[in-house]
Amino acid sequence: MSESKCKCGPGYATPLDAVRNGPVEKLLYVVCVQPNLDEEHGDYLATVDVDPASPTYCQVIHRTYTNSKHNELHHSGWNTCSSCHFVPGGKEVPTRDRLVLPCLNSDRIFVIDTGTDPRAPTLAKVIEGDVLKGADCTAPHTTHCLPNGNIMISVMGDADGNAKGDFVEFDKNFELVGTWSRGDRKALCGYDYWYQPHFNVMVASEWGAPKLFRRGYHPTDCDDRTQYGCRLNFYRWQERELFQTIDLGDEGLTPLEIRFLHNPRENQGYVGCAFYANVYRFYQKPGSDEYTAEKVIDVPVKKVQGENGEIEMMGGMMTDILISLDDRYLYFSNWRHGDVRQYDISDRANPRLTGQVFLGGAIQRDAPRRVLNDPELKEAPEPVFLKGRRLLGGPQMLQLSLDGRRLYVSSSLFSPWDKQFYPEMVAAGGTIVQLDIDVENGGMKLNENFLVDFGGEPYGPGLPHEMRYPGGDCTSDIWLVNE
């Protein structure tokens, strides 16, 4: 498709265009969960001022409430992104003005109008959970726009809460089109997904059955691999058919956030596997239609002793990964161990650790658990205090600035699990911090002047999870090859 014959839509022409010409972020949209299930305002989208020149820097300047209970907002996505950037002449140019907020518990989907007033978004539409249940789907998770302007959301369960890997498609007016995948072959579990049309492929990851994870973490839940995931599922993009499943085994248990490289001509990517904190690289075998996966990062478990003397082999619980828009650095968070790491992935098969910062976690020096054996650290990390506030919980969701110089880190994973693993963070409210990134040499440093504290929210402490910018970001936008 010739650029001269196209109208330019939302987003940026290429990932490097976003790096070089994208604006410095001034607003951050943050999905926040209300841990008090009896509070009538419920979960909300917080608009945070991240402009250092602003008098309301690091403050929540607006809250868009769901005004309903038991939703569990989690991830979000746009009605359109850079995959719709080049629009053939004569066709309507789409506008990025709706943020889609699916709910893990209620199965509702909230559509937020961010276009009318970006600093004060409003609720545009509510899709009730019965709509998804009518398609035998529940627990919607990842939202991406499709190049044709429709919106697709991955799901993790059937109408009864059993594990199911599938996708629901909506039109531009957020009316249900139906389930996306075709054919008899189905994924056992679902979670995240990413597509690369140039190679006619989409890849999806797996968490577990909603009826299991909604009630909290139970180690034995993982024993039934039909209800808890350890696989990568590859679909033919045009045909919408599952054609290959790779079983990652025990070390690849719960592969969560999955990313192709941003360059649409690169047929490879990475997935972070939560329980044992491993990163796998997936790529197409030379001369073959099939893909393979190899473990390229392995965070060792730590032997710890609990308050009652019990011994535990604690994995990092890697809960988020992202890739910088220039495809040079990969970042991930270990929610249990408490650290954020940066790897140089210039050599795709051999990531090199270039930065590590601890931001809380369960192995701090004064934690109730005592580390008995740590293959990596000689001593336990110190507690982190920022502007007089101790960072509680662990680092969770990540969002990187377009130029790669600022990494935002929130602290909430999923409120039933937050209450189980970090009740002190739930009681005090979550936080967002910022890491300053050395993009030339690698490395990260905590910004001592940045803290968003959700402890003093109007209706009680809030739990911040996923973050987005009004103009798109490293984890929302997908690019197509423009020819």
Side-chain angles (χ1 to χ4, degrees):
M1 186 184 296
S2 171
E3 191 170 338
S4 63
K5 298 179 182 178
C6 303
K7 300 176 182 178
C8 290
Y12 307 91
T14 66
L16 291 182
D17 176 35
V19 174
R20 295 164 182 160
N21 303 312
V24 173
E25 66 284 355
K26 294 185 178 181
L27 296 177
L28 197 63
Y29 294 138
V30 184
V31 170
C32 293
V33 170
Q34 168 58 259
N36 178 2
L37 300 182
D38 294 324
E39 211 298 305
E40 294 184 354
H41 293 83
D43 301 347
Y44 56 101
L45 181 72
T47 304
V48 178
D49 186 338
V50 293
D51 180 1
S54 171
T56 53
Y57 180 53
C58 289
Q59 295 179 28
V60 178
I61 60 173
H62 188 268
R63 299 166 184 86
T64 310
Y65 291 100
T66 58
N67 291 313
S68 54
K69 302 178 183 179
H70 309 290
N71 286 309
E72 192 72 30
L73 295 178
H74 195 63
H75 281 209
S76 61
W78 292 104
N79 62 319
T80 188
C81 79
S82 294
S83 69
C84 302
H85 184 73
F86 292 108
V87 182
K91 289 193 176 182
E92 181 182 356
V93 177
T95 302
R96 190 198 308 256
D97 60 358
R98 295 291 187 270
L99 189 60
V100 184
L101 309 181
C103 301
L104 288 190
N105 286 350
S106 70
D107 307 313
R108 294 186 179 102
I109 299 169
F110 292 87
V111 181
I112 307 296
D113 175 4
T114 62
T116 302
D117 184 353
R119 296 178 65 86
T122 57
L123 183 59
K125 184 172 183 175
V126 180
I127 302 170
E128 293 294 340
D130 290 344
V131 174
L132 262 65
K133 287 187 175 71
D136 193 28
C137 294
T138 55
H141 187 269
T142 296
T143 303
H144 283 301
C145 74
L146 304 181
N148 65 3
N150 283 2
I151 298 98
M152 190 163 80
I153 305 175
S154 61
V155 298
M156 292 184 281
D158 65 14
D160 296 319
N162 301 303
K164 177 183 182 179
D166 210 338
F167 312 86
V168 288
E169 184 177 355
F170 292 86
D171 66 18
K172 299 174 185 179
N173 298 314
F174 297 97
E175 297 296 328
L176 180 66
V177 175
T179 53
W180 178 85
S181 58
R182 299 169 180 162
D184 296 331
R185 189 173 177 181
K186 302 295 182 183
L188 291 174
C189 302
Y191 188 71
D192 194 20
Y193 76 97
W194 200 277
Y195 59 81
Q196 288 284 51
H198 185 65
F199 299 100
N200 196 35
V201 67
M202 181 179 85
V203 63
S205 59
E206 300 185 334
W207 183 7
K211 67 180 182 182
L212 297 181
F213 65 68
R214 282 172 173 169
R215 59 176 169 74
Y217 168 66
H218 295 246
T220 55
D221 287 345
C222 307
D223 295 343
D224 184 352
R225 298 297 168 83
T226 68
Q227 299 299 304
Y228 242 79
C230 60
R231 294 160 291 261
L232 303 184
N233 297 295
F234 293 85
Y235 295 79
R236 291 191 177 91
W237 180 246
Q238 293 294 336
E239 294 81 0
R240 304 187 178 190
E241 292 182 347
L242 176 64
F243 73 91
Q244 184 186 359
T245 295
I246 298 177
D247 191 326
L248 300 176
D250 290 345
E251 290 192 275
L253 188 60
T254 55
L256 297 184
E257 309 305 325
I258 193 160
R259 320 286 186 208
F260 266 106
L261 292 175
H262 294 288
N263 182 348
R265 295 181 183 276
E266 287 247 27
N267 194 2
Q268 59 181 313
Y270 300 88
V271 62
C273 300
F275 278 15
Y276 295 108
N278 296 319
V279 175
Y280 281 76
R281 170 183 172 242
F282 58 88
Y283 59 97
Q284 193 171 38
K285 297 177 183 177
S288 170
D289 291 334
E290 291 198 333
Y291 286 76
T292 189
E294 60 182 6
K295 185 174 65 175
V296 292
I297 300 173
D298 187 347
V299 177
V301 298
K302 303 179 189 296
K303 185 178 182 179
V304 300
Q305 184 177 36
E307 293 179 270
N308 300 319
E310 70 277 10
I311 302 299
E312 174 189 358
M313 300 304 292
M314 183 192 292
M317 198 172 285
M318 184 186 298
T319 49
D320 195 17
I321 72 168
L322 65 75
I323 300 171
S324 61
L325 287 175
D326 60 3
D327 290 331
R328 180 177 175 186
Y329 293 110
L330 180 146
Y331 299 85
F332 65 75
S333 56
N334 286 315
W335 192 60
R336 292 289 280 147
H337 288 176
D339 58 319
V340 176
R341 302 194 188 195
Q342 176 199 57
Y343 285 78
D344 188 321
I345 55 170
S346 300
D347 181 348
R348 307 300 190 206
N350 298 286
R352 179 172 59 89
L353 181 64
T354 49
Q356 183 179 25
V357 176
F358 279 87
L359 299 170
I363 61 165
Q364 297 172 87
R365 178 179 50 80
D366 60 351
R369 291 174 176 82
R370 183 165 64 92
V371 179
L372 302 178
N373 180 264
D374 190 329
E376 293 184 306
L377 302 176
K378 294 181 179 179
E379 56 186 23
E382 294 291 330
V384 180
F385 292 85
L386 194 58
K387 293 190 172 183
R389 168 75 140 89
R390 179 169 178 165
L391 299 186
L392 300 172
Q396 213 287 293
M397 291 304 292
L398 308 173
Q399 192 53 263
L400 188 66
S401 60
L402 298 180
D403 62 9
R405 297 180 182 275
R406 293 165 300 284
L407 183 69
Y408 297 91
V409 187
S410 65
S411 59
S412 169
L413 172 60
F414 174 57
S415 67
W417 292 31
D418 291 344
K419 293 172 182 178
Q420 184 176 351
F421 288 102
Y422 293 120
E424 68 282 359
M425 187 269 289
V426 176
T431 54
I432 297 175
V433 301
Q434 183 189 104
L435 302 181
D436 295 328
I437 307 299
D438 183 340
V439 297
E440 284 80 22
N441 306 303
M444 306 185 295
K445 182 180 180 182
L446 181 63
N447 184 332
E448 300 287 345
N449 297 314
F450 187 99
L451 174 69
V452 185
D453 187 344
F454 289 85
E457 290 294 274
Y459 301 106
L463 300 175
H465 186 64
E466 195 183 50
M467 302 160 284
R468 298 241 176 262
Y469 313 129
D473 47 66
C474 292
T475 56
S476 68
D477 280 34
I478 294 175
W479 279 266
L480 307 184
V481 172
N482 180 45
E483 294 177 332

